């Protein structure tokens, strides 16, 4: 094993059998699922790289904590433990548990946004933007331009463009910006991190205008690892110390505990403002539950508290990022286009370049995800025009510059041998990519369409007669 790929820092104690299906079976499953990988059943998938959200393998330490669940309706001792851990590792004064991250996004949006507001962010995320827009705000992307270029080798592609942020403040007024949303890391840019220097500068600029900074902290530990690895002055610091310093540059955060907190369900909203916390405790009872459980069982809060402790272990996070690089290096060696540099939770195939004969309106990323499953039983996720949704004013598709397929690696679940299978499948598919036809959407829900939309393959003659050019990368 190449020393740059850390060996698994754990022993396997419990196993779950998986099985390979036939190509004929997968063709049937795909058709029944409307060619949407979200609508496949898990037992129809050989290697499931749909998401790293809630798919973590928990440790024996976490499972032991589950047996100590205090299921009191109010004042659970597990909530007290979770509160203590969040304060110790993240530094925020208040925590409101939620059933998962989008519960926290819902609370934050309802608490802070007024119709006509503008919420800047370093690239959108699907559920985050949906909650912001449903509460009357407009999302504005303020990420650096390089983040929209899959091939730009920039160490911190998730950085906020401070000039864009200042320009937006000047245009709409600080009073119409309820908060700046900073994702650490940036999922839809390929899991790209934000530097400590940029976080510090964003906080300083926002403080000058009285604008709060709220992190989407879902993958904050991965962001801390990249700071340790890439930013001057942090190589000798622990992940735990870097994480705490990162959070000091925010006024609060939303957290999906299903990622870097290493649990299968749960999340929370954090803040330092006493008045905002009081309002949050009033609102959470309408949507989640009591402020001391927020839709979670006591055992889930205990597992999350222990997961936070484990997440900052250097051996764990080195292996976590190493698995992504292991897969990426195989794909890159085969000439397969991927997002560079590789992020911390997934490898992103550049579907525009992979299927460069398909225009974006034929859903190349959705097509590629479906074809990868058909080829191998590997389930992945579209992150392109389907995920971007529609412009609320014009009704037309949002057309992101990045048209990606996410190969998302669950935490502590698969071995390097499983990733070898994924790499071989991608290579085989790339070799016959010119045979692949695009798709059309035949059912579209009103919100978050990528979850439940349905598609059909375009017949080969239609695609062969197509005359319009594929959209350019720019």
């Amino acid at each position: 094993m190449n020393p740059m790929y850390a060996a698994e820092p754990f022993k396997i104690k419990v196993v779950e059998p998986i099985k390979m299906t036939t190509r004929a079976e997968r063709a049937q499953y795909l058709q029944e699922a409307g060619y949407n990988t979200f609508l496949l059943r898990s037992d129809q998938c050989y290697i499931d790289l749909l998401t790293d959200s809630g798919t973590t393998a928990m440790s024996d330490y976490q499972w032991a904590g589950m047996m100590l669940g205090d299921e009191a309706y109010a004042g659970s001792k597990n909530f007290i433990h979770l509160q203590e851990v969040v304060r110790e590792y993240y530094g925020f004064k208040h925590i409101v548990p939620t059933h998962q991250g989008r519960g926290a996004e819902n609370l934050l949006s309802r608490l802070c946004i007024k119709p006509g507001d503008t919420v800047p962010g370093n690239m959108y995320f699907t559920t985050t933007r949906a909650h912001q827009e449903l509460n009357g705000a407009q999302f504005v992307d303020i990420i650096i331009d390089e983040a929209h270029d899959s091939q730009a080798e920039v160490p911190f592609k998730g950085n906020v463009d401070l000039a864009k942020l200042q320009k937006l403040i000047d245009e709409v007024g600080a009073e119409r910006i309820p908060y700046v949303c900073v994702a650490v890391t940036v999922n839809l840019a390929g899991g790209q991190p934000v530097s400590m220097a940029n976080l510090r500068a964003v906080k300083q600029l926002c403080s000058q205008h009285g604008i709060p900074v709220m992190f989407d902290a879902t993958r904050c530990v991965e962001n801390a690892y990249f700071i340790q690895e890439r930013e001057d002055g942090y190589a000798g610091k622990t992940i735990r110390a870097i994480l705490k310093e990162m959070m000091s540059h925010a006024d609060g955060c939303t957290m999906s505990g299903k990622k870097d907190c290493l649990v299968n369900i749960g999340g929370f909203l954090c803040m330092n403002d006493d008045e905002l916390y009081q309002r949050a405790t009033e609102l959470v009872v309408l949507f989640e539950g009591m402020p001391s459980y927020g839709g979670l069982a006591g055992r889930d809060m205990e597992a999350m508290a222990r997961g936070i402790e484990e997440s900052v272990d250097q051996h764990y996070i080195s292996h976590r990022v190493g698995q992504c690089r292991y897969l990426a290096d195989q794909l890159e060696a085969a000439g397969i286009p991927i997002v560079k540099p590789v992020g911390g939770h997934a490898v992103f195939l550049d579907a525009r370049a992979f299927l460069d004969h398909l225009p974006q309106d034929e859903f190349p990323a959705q097509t590629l995800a479906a074809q990868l499953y058909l080829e191998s039983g590997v389930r992945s996720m579209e992150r392109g025009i389907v995920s971007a949704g529609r412009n609320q004013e014009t009704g037309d598709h949002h057309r992101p510059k990045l048209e990606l397929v996410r190969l998302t690696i669950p935490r502590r679940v698969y071995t390097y041998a499983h990733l070898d299978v994924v790499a071989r499948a991608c290579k085989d598919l790339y070799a016959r990519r010119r045979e692949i036809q695009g798709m059309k959407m035949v059912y579209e829900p009103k919100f978050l369409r990528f979850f439940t939309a349905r598609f059909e393959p375009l017949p080969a003659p239609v695609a062969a007669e197509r005359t319009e050019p594929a959209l350019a990368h720019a």
Side-chain angles (χ1 to χ4, degrees):
M1 175 67 68
N2 188 317
M4 72 177 293
Y5 310 125
E8 285 80 5
F10 52 80
K11 296 186 294 184
I12 297 171
K13 186 176 291 189
V14 177
V15 298
E16 176 186 346
I18 57 176
K19 64 177 181 179
M20 173 59 86
T21 54
T22 67
R23 186 182 182 90
E25 288 172 331
R26 295 193 295 274
Q28 178 184 340
Y29 299 151
L30 261 181
Q31 185 177 23
E32 293 171 348
Y35 296 86
N36 186 343
T37 53
F38 276 96
L39 300 180
L40 292 166
R41 296 199 329 240
S42 65
D43 61 0
Q44 296 170 342
C45 304
Y46 179 47
I47 297 175
D48 198 345
L49 305 185
L50 183 73
T51 183
D52 62 331
S53 180
T55 56
T56 293
M58 292 200 303
S59 69
D60 54 356
Y61 178 61
Q62 289 175 287
W63 279 108
M66 296 276 280
M67 297 304 295
L68 301 176
D70 173 8
E71 306 307 339
Y73 189 78
S76 163
K77 66 182 180 183
N78 306 119
F79 167 70
I80 301 303
H81 184 204
L82 176 61
Q83 184 181 58
E84 291 171 348
V85 169
V86 168
R87 287 173 174 171
E88 180 180 354
Y89 283 77
Y90 297 155
F92 296 117
K93 184 177 180 181
H94 300 297
I95 171 177
V96 180
T98 58
H99 75 283
Q100 61 183 76
R102 69 195 59 175
E105 292 171 348
N106 177 46
L107 291 179
L108 179 63
S109 298
R110 287 175 175 270
L111 287 166
C112 296
I113 291 173
K114 302 184 300 296
D117 281 351
T118 297
V119 179
N122 55 341
M123 199 172 285
Y124 80 97
F125 184 68
T126 52
T127 60
T128 312
R129 187 174 70 185
H131 284 300
Q132 292 165 354
E133 291 178 345
L134 284 170
N135 283 279
Q138 177 187 10
F139 167 80
V140 175
D141 189 0
I142 55 168
I143 202 167
I144 60 173
D145 290 341
E146 292 89 341
H148 296 283
D149 180 354
S150 67
Q151 301 306 297
E153 291 275 7
V154 177
F156 293 102
K157 285 172 79 170
N159 278 359
V160 169
D161 186 319
L162 297 173
K164 289 181 183 179
L165 176 55
Q166 182 63 66
K167 182 173 182 289
L168 183 65
I169 295 171
D170 294 340
E171 289 176 351
V172 305
E175 69 279 0
R176 298 318 306 261
I177 299 177
Y179 58 91
V180 173
C181 183
V182 181
V184 286
T185 58
V186 182
N187 186 354
L188 294 184
Q192 302 299 326
V194 185
S195 72
M196 191 75 79
N198 188 250
L199 295 176
R200 188 181 303 113
V202 170
K203 185 66 173 74
Q204 182 178 10
L205 175 60
C206 289
S207 295
Q208 292 171 2
H209 295 278
I211 302 171
V213 176
M214 301 297 289
F215 286 172
D216 175 350
T218 295
R219 297 179 179 89
C220 56
V221 178
E222 294 169 10
N223 200 100
Y225 178 83
F226 287 122
I227 289 175
Q228 184 190 62
E229 181 183 63
R230 299 176 183 175
E231 192 161 359
D232 290 343
Y234 289 93
K237 294 189 176 183
T238 65
I239 296 296
R240 179 173 173 176
I242 295 170
L243 180 63
K244 188 78 168 284
E245 183 179 342
M246 280 173 51
M247 296 303 179
S248 72
H249 300 307
D251 297 286
C253 75
T254 58
M255 169 62 82
S256 171
K258 298 165 68 176
K259 285 87 167 176
D260 271 359
C261 296
L262 306 180
V263 289
N264 306 127
I265 197 67
F268 49 80
L269 172 65
C270 285
M271 70 283 287
N272 292 323
D273 184 87
D274 294 337
E275 189 270 337
L276 181 62
Y277 172 67
Q278 185 61 47
R279 292 171 56 217
T281 60
E282 297 167 3
L283 191 61
V284 71
V285 297
L286 292 175
F287 296 100
E288 305 284 332
M290 282 287 290
S292 60
Y293 76 87
L296 294 176
R299 56 182 174 268
D300 296 321
M301 290 188 286
E302 185 64 31
M304 188 153 53
R306 295 182 178 214
I308 291 171
E309 295 171 355
E310 292 184 343
S311 70
V312 298
D313 177 74
Q314 187 73 48
H315 301 292
Y316 153 73
I317 191 60
S318 296
H319 171 262
R320 167 79 178 141
V321 177
Q323 280 202 317
C324 293
R325 289 174 176 167
Y326 178 80
L327 176 58
D329 287 349
Q330 291 197 58
L331 299 181
E332 194 168 6
I336 296 174
I338 63 172
V339 172
K340 303 175 184 177
V342 178
H345 73 289
V347 177
F348 288 72
L349 301 176
D350 185 341
R352 276 184 187 259
F354 198 113
L355 300 178
D356 59 2
H357 59 291
L358 299 183
Q360 196 172 28
D361 281 10
E362 290 184 11
F363 310 114
Q366 190 74 40
T367 299
L368 182 54
Q371 289 292 320
L372 180 60
Y373 173 76
L374 180 63
E375 179 77 29
S376 62
V378 173
R379 176 158 66 167
S380 59
M381 176 194 293
E382 184 270 359
R383 278 296 182 233
I385 190 173
V386 180
S387 292
R390 291 187 182 273
N391 184 301
Q392 289 187 326
E393 295 181 359
T394 67
D396 194 12
H397 298 295
H398 287 299
R399 289 184 168 82
K401 294 180 180 179
L402 294 176
E403 183 75 16
L404 310 174
V405 170
R406 193 179 76 179
L407 305 172
T408 331
I409 301 178
R411 295 163 180 80
R412 304 189 296 205
V413 172
Y414 292 117
T415 67
Y416 290 106
H418 290 109
L419 300 182
D420 290 337
V421 174
V422 177
R424 284 197 300 272
C426 291
K427 294 173 189 177
D428 292 344
L429 195 60
Y430 192 62
R432 62 173 190 83
R433 62 192 182 278
R434 296 298 178 194
E435 305 170 13
I436 297 173
Q437 307 299 330
M439 297 198 297
K440 63 179 180 179
M441 190 183 303
V442 295
Y443 165 70
E444 179 179 357
K446 186 174 182 180
F447 303 113
L448 298 175
R449 63 186 185 179
F450 64 94
F451 282 127
T452 56
R454 302 180 75 88
F455 303 84
E456 288 180 358
L458 289 169
V462 172
E465 294 168 4
R466 185 178 59 238
T467 57
E468 70 272 22
L471 295 178
H473 283 258

